[in-house]
Amino acid sequence: MAKVIVVGGGAAGLVAAWRAASLGHQVRLLEANGRLGVKLRISGGGKCNITHDGSPRSLLEAFSKSQARFLRPSLLAFDNQAVLELLHREGVETYSRDNGRIFPADRPGSAGAVVAAFEMLVRRAGVDVHTGARVTALRGQSPRLDGLVLDGAPIAGEVFILATGGASYPETGTRGEVLGWLRGLGVPVRPWFPALAPIPLQRPRPAWEGVSLRDGELRLTAGPEGRRLSAFRGDVVFTKAGISGPAALELSQATEQARREGAAWLSYASILQPAETVDAAVLEEQRANPRLLAATWLQRHLPERLVAPLLQEAGLERTLMLKDLPKAGRKALVALVTALPLGEPQPVPLARGEVAAGGVDLAAVDPRTMALRGWENLRVCGELLDVDGPVGGYNLQAAFSTGFAAGSI
Ligand SMILES: Cc1cc2nc3c(=O)[nH]c(=O)nc-3n(C[C@H](O)[C@H](O)[C@H](O)COP(=O)(O)OP(=O)(O)OC[C@H]3O[C@@H](n4cnc5c(N)ncnc54)[C@H](O)[C@@H]3O)c2cc1C
């Protein structure tokens, strides 16, 4: 039986503490916030998308290749079904949406029910829970961590599990400082990097706030005429400062990467066919339906609120009929639906991401135990690792699985 100290009472830390205590260890859980699971409570818009449906293999496919390789052993040991069984045993009912995302049953405070279940599990397993306990330093040198500093006093332990999360939404307690301490101890890390965040634009459209571009593809290119860097199928919603919505969140990391490298440009294709095909379709429409307004045609593919301002920007009259559309005007119309320019991004904010990319380098961690290589008594799990999955319950699943592995001492 070891004296285990877990730092961080979020998804990963709760599971790690419960698991270690269930195996008979004496566990102390230190959480900076006044209560446990603060980020869990706001996840999924307060509904908490716990995990994703499907086989472990299909879950792993959502991550990059190297992250999937790392996650494989811990996910197989504690997969989505294991998470759900645990929650069901604690009385949390769950359901799966058509898109595979799994949530607790829709009730007010449903995310809170998930936290309450984990809290019950850790307390019943005998974990000594300390909230309002922000650790301020790590003491020791490879290969042993001697202790932590809490309220200026040293805290000793035999095994230490760091589950302090990422660096986004710092108001939920995750300030990311532990990564800097680990780097100071010689642990290889990748700096925090924004991910799954809204993208501010150089030229935002506050008047369009709340309007969505649907069923198309957000595209990232190296400049307006540059080569394609990345793309994501899904909706985009205009915000005061830029764009949000599923496609914007998923493309935010690549966008920030491209921006830092010097050239990033965003556009939205409402019609996924090549411009030449759409041009031919407009020509056909001109012949078949010459008196159709260009505005009416555009409205079939773009939200009504955008039609008048976009026609104006393209230098086209609102009353223009297709038969009077000159070739240049037709090209402009086609461009609006195949590559609506959103323009250059501004820096993507780390703080507003649903996750933070970066973290402890996966090569420095044993994927079966989450033990840091070169250290005898130090383990890391959850978002503190360099793991970032897409939206859909994948990030919580990664936190639960790696937390379980870290607590399996
Ligand atoms: C708005 C939002 C919505 C999200 N929605 C979803 C979703 O629906 N589904 C999904 O899968 N993922 C979602 N995520 C991502 C997911 O919540 C995180 O990836 C996950 O919570 C990470 O778990 P973790 O335990 O590693 O970190 P956290 O849950 O962030 O827990 C880390 C804990 O460590 C504590 N801590 C940090 N530093 C210290 C310290 N020095 N001393 C003591 N304690 C410390 C923090 O206070 C925090 O409570 C969402 C994230 C956000 C921000």
Side-chain angles (χ1 to χ4, degrees):
M1 189 173 102
K3 198 171 160 201
V4 179
I5 311 280
V6 179
V7 188
L14 283 164
V15 171
W18 159 73
R19 172 69 173 158
S22 307
L23 292 174
H25 299 290
Q26 186 194 333
V27 183
R28 202 165 166 194
L29 174 62
L30 307 176
E31 166 53 52
N33 293 319
R35 57 184 190 161
L36 297 170
V38 168
K39 197 173 270 181
L40 261 171
R41 284 175 210 274
I42 61 158
S43 61
K47 291 185 188 286
C48 189
N49 178 191
I50 311 159
T51 184
H52 204 92
D53 217 351
S55 64
R57 193 193 163 128
S58 68
L59 262 69
L60 289 171
E61 277 168 2
F63 293 86
S64 71
K65 276 209 172 72
S66 57
Q67 294 184 9
R69 206 175 314 119
F70 175 83
L71 286 172
R72 196 167 184 277
S74 62
L75 189 90
L76 289 177
F78 192 64
D79 64 8
N80 47 358
Q81 291 313 317
V83 171
L84 295 177
E85 276 163 31
L86 190 66
L87 288 171
H88 293 164
R89 279 209 302 274
E90 293 304 310
V92 180
E93 293 165 40
T94 59
Y95 74 101
S96 178
R97 292 191 182 165
D98 289 346
N99 58 10
R101 297 178 188 184
I102 300 180
F103 288 82
D106 255 331
R107 299 202 180 99
S110 50
V114 175
V115 179
F118 280 116
E119 189 159 358
M120 182 56 89
L121 281 163
V122 295
R123 291 195 192 272
R124 213 187 301 124
V127 175
D128 180 17
V129 177
H130 294 248
T131 51
R134 179 165 282 277
V135 169
T136 51
L138 304 176
R139 293 273 178 263
Q141 263 183 3
S142 167
R144 278 196 77 74
L145 196 73
D146 301 324
L148 313 165
V149 179
L150 179 66
D151 295 331
I155 303 277
E158 286 160 334
V159 180
F160 296 89
I161 300 176
L162 304 180
T164 48
S168 68
Y169 281 74
E171 66 275 24
T172 66
T174 45
R175 303 181 192 159
E177 74 277 30
V178 176
L179 195 66
W181 304 343
L182 288 172
R183 187 177 33 215
L185 290 174
V187 175
V189 304
R190 281 192 53 227
W192 296 123
F193 197 87
L196 299 187
I199 304 174
L201 297 172
Q202 293 284 3
R203 192 181 157 224
R205 311 276 203 155
W208 297 355
E209 191 182 1
V211 177
S212 294
L213 300 171
R214 290 192 194 283
D215 304 323
E217 187 173 78
L218 181 63
R219 292 177 179 162
L220 171 67
T221 49
E225 307 296 331
R227 68 192 167 87
R228 172 91 65 99
L229 299 173
S230 193
F232 196 88
R233 290 275 280 271
D235 300 353
V236 153
V237 54
F238 287 95
T239 63
K240 237 188 207 73
I243 51 169
S244 189
L249 297 193
E250 298 291 356
L251 218 59
S252 60
Q253 191 176 157
T255 299
E256 179 60 10
Q257 189 74 48
R259 195 195 64 79
R260 291 189 192 183
E261 283 164 11
W265 177 270
L266 292 160
S267 62
Y268 195 83
S270 297
I271 301 182
L272 296 176
Q273 290 158 335
E276 304 75 58
T277 313
V278 181
D279 190 58
V282 178
L283 268 173
E284 181 57 37
E285 189 79 53
Q286 264 179 328
R287 271 190 289 272
N289 211 349
R291 301 186 67 78
L292 186 77
L293 292 179
T296 309
W297 184 85
L298 202 54
Q299 214 171 298
R300 290 181 191 161
H301 306 288
L302 286 173
E304 195 182 342
R305 240 170 90 188
L306 309 195
V307 168
L310 285 176
L311 280 174
Q312 194 183 10
E313 281 177 32
L316 301 172
E317 290 288 328
R318 277 174 78 172
T319 50
L320 193 72
M321 291 181 201
L322 285 188
K323 69 179 172 62
D324 302 322
L325 195 62
K327 185 174 175 195
R330 201 179 70 233
K331 297 272 178 225
L333 202 64
V334 169
L336 291 177
V337 294
T338 54
L340 178 70
L342 301 168
E344 277 182 61
Q346 287 198 48
V348 177
L350 175 66
R352 293 334 307 157
E354 288 203 5
V355 279
V360 174
D361 191 332
L362 301 183
V365 184
D366 180 335
R368 285 166 296 116
T369 60
M370 302 299 141
L372 272 174
R373 297 189 198 281
W375 292 80
E376 292 165 359
N377 64 342
L378 184 52
R379 296 176 175 218
V380 289
C381 56
E383 212 182 307
L384 179 58
L385 291 162
D386 182 14
V387 168
D388 59 293
V391 170
Y394 300 101
N395 288 302
L396 280 175
Q397 180 62 51
F400 295 139
S401 296
T402 57
F404 186 85
S408 300
I409 301 165

